């Protein structure tokens, strides 16, 4: 990647992208109003579940992920897997640093609230496999690197989630003389979340590019098809946010002080993990695109899995479930804000234009 400031900018944020914080704020308000004035909605959505996954929310997540994964240049993934610095850094941040940081913050900020504390630790164990593709794309990160890191996180999630849950909720508190709470997590539940929220859109995205390029050519696919389906990622994101707030609005509004206490360590966590990823990428010379990818994959969390595990283990009315719900309510606006910080850092620190085509790879 060039070290000089690139002056040309072939692509800029669309109107939808530019005003995303406003749209998200409106979606949150709409969700709260919908939940308040249409109380039957919560019961209806609760009935529309399969394997602990809400069908409407699941559809929103699938539609949200598909356009971004359809943009991935799968012929470049082999080059990404050869970047050992990126892969090792991501594994360390996601599976060693992230859970440990959340464990520490949960105990520091919520020593007297064991249910919320446990819920936060569960959030820290659920590494992001969904919305990170949106934040990365808006920040002009490396799409191919994101696809690889998300796939790796998915495999580790199935293998390590239960083990790490046992360690951080039972073993480590015992060693430190702290209260402990057990966690029984179904490996099938984790695998199902990974299969639904990553496998389906990944296969669809790959198939779209392969079929589209084979029949109509790459130029048509890049210039016609992708611009047509691209906005649906953000439409689906807003739809998902509306549903989340409609489902959990009463709990959030009924316990504002509890929500504030849960939110504080989450704010610190997202900021610390994102900064650690960007600084590490910069220090390793990964370039802007892959450094910002490393930052967002380290900071994001799989709230679908965290909520499903909290509800399945402790119940829908538990404090653990409320902490899981507060997670995405804080994560979405914070990571949207960090998208703009990333775009600023690209010019001020990496000395590159994030929208220039040659800033996509280091």
């Amino acid at each position: 990647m060039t070290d000089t400031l690139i002056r040309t900018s072939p692509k800029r944020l669309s109107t939808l992208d530019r005003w995303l914080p406003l749209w998200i704020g409106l979606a949150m308000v709409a969700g709260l109003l919908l939940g308040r004035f249409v109380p039957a909605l919560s019961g209806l959505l609760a009935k529309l579940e399969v394997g602990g996954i809400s069908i409407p929310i699941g559809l929103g997540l699938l539609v949200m992920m598909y356009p971004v994964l359809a943009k991935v240049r799968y012929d470049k993934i082999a080059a990404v897997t050869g970047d050992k610095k990126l892969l090792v850094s991501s594994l360390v941040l996601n599976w060693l640093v992230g859970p440990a940081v959340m464990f520490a913050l949960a105990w520091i900020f919520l020593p007297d609230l064991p249910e919320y504390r446990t819920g936060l630790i569960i959030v820290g164990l659920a590494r992001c496999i969904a919305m990170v593709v949106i934040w990365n794309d808006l920040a002009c990160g490396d799409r191919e690197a994101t696809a690889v890191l998300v796939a790796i996180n998915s495999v580790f999630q199935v293998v390590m989630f239960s083990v790490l849950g046992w360690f951080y909720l039972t073993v480590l508190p015992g060693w430190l003389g702290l209260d402990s709470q057990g966690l029984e997590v179904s490996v099938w539940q984790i695998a199902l979340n990974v299969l639904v929220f990553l496998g389906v859109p990944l296969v669809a995205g790959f198939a779209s590019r392969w079929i589209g390029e084979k029949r109509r050519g790459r130029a048509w696919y890049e210039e016609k098809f992708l611009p047509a389906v691209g906005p649906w990622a953000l439409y689906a994101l807003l739809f998902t946010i509306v549903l989340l707030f409609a489902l959990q609005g009463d709990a959030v509004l009924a316990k504002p002080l509890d929500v504030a206490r849960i939110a504080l360590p989450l704010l610190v966590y997202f900021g610390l993990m994102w900064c650690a990823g960007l600084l590490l990428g910069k220090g390793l010379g990964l370039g802007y695109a892959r450094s910002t990818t490393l930052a967002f994959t380290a900071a994001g969390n799989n709230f679908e899995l965290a909520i499903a595990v909290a509800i399945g283990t402790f119940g829908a009315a538990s404090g653990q479930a409320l902490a899981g719900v507060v997670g995405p309510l804080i994560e979405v606006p914070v990571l949207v804000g960090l998208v703009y910080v990333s775009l600023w850092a690209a010019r001020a620190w990496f000395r590159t234009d994030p929208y220039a085509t040659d800033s996509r790879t280091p």
Side-chain angles (χ1 to χ4, degrees):
M1 176 181 288
T2 179
D3 291 327
T4 59
L5 181 62
I6 301 172
R7 300 294 181 185
T8 58
S9 300
K11 178 185 175 183
R12 293 291 176 186
L13 282 176
S14 66
T15 300
L16 180 64
D17 293 343
R18 189 179 304 115
W19 295 99
L20 183 58
L22 174 62
W23 309 140
I24 287 179
L26 292 175
M28 291 176 176
V29 173
L32 290 173
L33 294 175
L34 191 61
R36 172 60 62 90
F37 293 107
V38 188
L41 179 65
S42 296
L44 176 61
L45 292 176
K47 294 178 181 178
L48 297 175
E49 287 189 1
V50 176
I53 299 173
S54 170
I55 294 176
I57 292 177
L59 289 175
L61 291 167
L62 291 175
V63 176
M64 179 186 74
M65 291 188 66
Y66 165 71
V68 180
L69 292 174
K71 293 178 183 178
V72 172
R73 287 284 302 275
Y74 292 93
D75 54 338
K76 291 185 176 182
I77 286 181
V80 176
T81 58
D83 191 339
K84 304 302 182 185
K85 291 181 180 179
L86 176 67
L87 295 180
V88 172
S89 298
S90 179
L91 288 174
V92 169
L93 286 174
N94 274 286
W95 297 103
L96 293 179
V97 178
V101 168
M102 188 66 90
F103 174 86
L105 291 174
W107 275 97
I108 290 171
F109 286 95
L110 302 170
D112 57 328
L113 296 171
E115 290 190 359
Y116 298 152
R117 184 176 66 235
T118 298
L120 281 185
I121 293 173
I122 292 173
V123 171
L125 298 178
R127 311 313 301 168
C128 194
I129 65 169
M131 284 190 176
V132 67
V133 295
I134 293 287
W135 316 136
N136 178 77
D137 211 48
L138 289 173
C140 300
D142 189 316
R143 294 188 188 115
E144 288 70 40
T146 302
V148 170
L149 297 182
V150 164
I152 291 173
N153 276 344
S154 301
V155 174
F156 267 77
Q157 205 138 233
V158 174
V159 175
M160 295 300 297
F161 189 94
S162 298
V163 175
L164 289 175
W166 167 72
F167 177 76
Y168 280 105
L169 294 176
T170 302
V171 177
L172 186 57
W175 289 350
L176 299 176
L178 305 171
D179 294 334
S180 62
Q181 292 191 15
L183 179 64
E184 295 182 3
V185 184
S186 167
V187 173
W188 164 244
Q189 181 67 48
I190 300 170
L192 179 62
N193 274 271
V194 172
L195 178 64
V196 171
F197 297 121
L198 175 64
V200 172
L202 183 61
V203 170
F206 176 82
S208 295
R209 179 171 284 277
W210 185 74
I211 295 172
E213 290 188 359
K214 185 175 182 180
R215 294 189 174 181
R216 303 293 296 273
R218 176 163 292 178
W220 173 86
Y221 186 84
E222 298 279 354
E223 298 170 12
K224 300 292 184 181
F225 180 78
L226 290 182
V229 302
W232 284 95
L234 295 183
Y235 298 153
L237 170 63
L238 298 175
F239 170 78
T240 304
I241 291 171
V242 169
L243 290 185
L244 283 173
F245 272 81
L247 280 171
Q248 303 296 336
D250 286 343
V252 172
L253 294 175
K255 301 178 179 179
L257 294 180
D258 288 357
V259 170
R261 289 197 61 181
I262 296 169
L264 187 56
L266 285 169
L267 287 169
V268 175
Y269 172 82
F270 293 135
L272 283 176
M273 292 303 297
W274 185 87
C275 289
L278 196 71
L279 289 170
L280 182 58
K282 173 71 173 176
L284 293 174
L286 296 180
Y288 170 75
R290 291 189 177 176
S291 293
T292 199
T293 293
L294 184 62
F296 280 104
T297 52
N301 290 90
N302 183 357
F303 69 82
E304 310 88 18
L305 177 60
I307 293 173
V309 168
I311 292 175
T313 306
F314 301 102
S318 66
Q320 291 88 343
L322 178 60
V325 169
V326 173
L329 305 187
I330 303 302
E331 177 179 348
V332 169
V334 168
L335 292 191
V336 168
L338 289 174
V339 167
Y340 289 89
V341 176
S342 290
L343 296 175
W344 170 84
R347 297 182 176 89
W349 199 21
F350 288 85
R351 306 297 295 170
T352 187
D353 186 333
Y355 300 104
T357 54
D358 58 345
S359 72
R360 283 288 186 180
T361 55

